Amino acid sequence: MDDVQQLGEMLRHYAESEAHKKQVFESQSAVWAMRIGELFDQIEQWLAPVRTPNLLEVSREFYVAFGASVPVETSVFKSEKLSILIAGKPVEFVPEVMGVGGLITLAVVGLTAARYGSVSLVCLPPSTEWQWRKTNGLKDPDTFAFDANFLAQQLQSLIPRERG
């Protein structure tokens, strides 16, 4: 095989590899978007019995996820974010760009009192289980299973208590 034929073979292999990577990315992106939609549907179902105008409201809106390596202008991660307004305090579930292996991360804004802490929801396909991760400083994050009762406990912390 001469160098020109070898170059042709290399280009063909490269094209096949790129096509495969694109196909994997597109299928993972579809799962990413579907899982986020399912999670938001679930949260809305959990909160439906206690939704009350001006006390507990839930809404969804179009959102383009972006990250440090993917600016919003070029991001292909079109999704939505979920907002909860409870006792006048906003909580948002905001998708972040899909991570390695289809990792799904949602930043949870409005639920951490720690100065340097953050809260996120994480799901790593093929698992469909969501985990609540609370990070504070350099130590390992605290991880909890995410379900209706856990969400309710977190939201309860935002309701002002009677003093006296």
Side-chain angles (χ1 to χ4, degrees):
M1 178 184 299
D2 64 22
D3 290 340
V4 173
Q5 286 177 318
Q6 185 175 350
L7 176 62
E9 274 297 297
M10 290 172 70
L11 287 170
R12 188 177 63 72
H13 285 297
Y14 175 76
E16 289 172 0
S17 172
E18 289 301 302
H20 177 71
K21 280 190 228 171
K22 183 175 192 238
Q23 183 181 12
V24 167
F25 175 80
E26 287 173 354
S27 66
Q28 285 181 334
S29 294
V31 169
W32 178 87
M34 181 186 71
R35 292 270 165 79
I36 291 171
E38 289 171 350
L39 172 67
F40 290 174
D41 290 345
Q42 187 69 65
I43 290 172
E44 286 184 305
Q45 283 180 334
W46 292 341
L47 297 177
V50 293
R51 284 174 81 163
T52 309
N54 301 321
L55 289 178
L56 180 74
E57 298 175 1
V58 181
S59 62
R60 289 160 82 156
E61 65 186 72
F62 179 76
Y63 183 78
V64 178
F66 62 96
S69 61
V70 182
V72 70
E73 304 83 40
T74 59
S75 178
V76 297
F77 296 99
K78 293 172 177 53
S79 183
E80 53 188 347
K81 71 176 181 176
L82 180 104
S83 300
I84 299 171
L85 189 64
I86 179 164
K89 295 181 177 81
V91 175
E92 292 184 331
F93 294 82
V94 183
E96 295 178 352
V97 169
M98 182 177 66
V100 177
L103 176 72
I104 308 167
T105 307
L106 302 174
V108 181
V109 183
L111 273 176
T112 181
R115 186 170 176 191
Y116 298 108
S118 66
V119 175
S120 57
L121 280 175
V122 179
C123 179
L124 181 57
S127 172
T128 57
E129 302 300 311
W130 288 90
Q131 292 185 328
W132 181 272
R133 286 195 187 161
K134 189 170 187 177
T135 306
N136 192 356
L138 299 174
K139 65 180 184 138
D140 289 339
D142 295 325
T143 305
F144 306 92
F146 184 68
D147 61 17
N149 290 322
F150 188 84
L151 176 61
Q153 288 173 357
Q154 302 310 305
L155 294 175
Q156 287 171 19
S157 71
L158 297 175
I159 299 172
R161 303 276 192 259
E162 289 289 324
R163 300 198 205 298

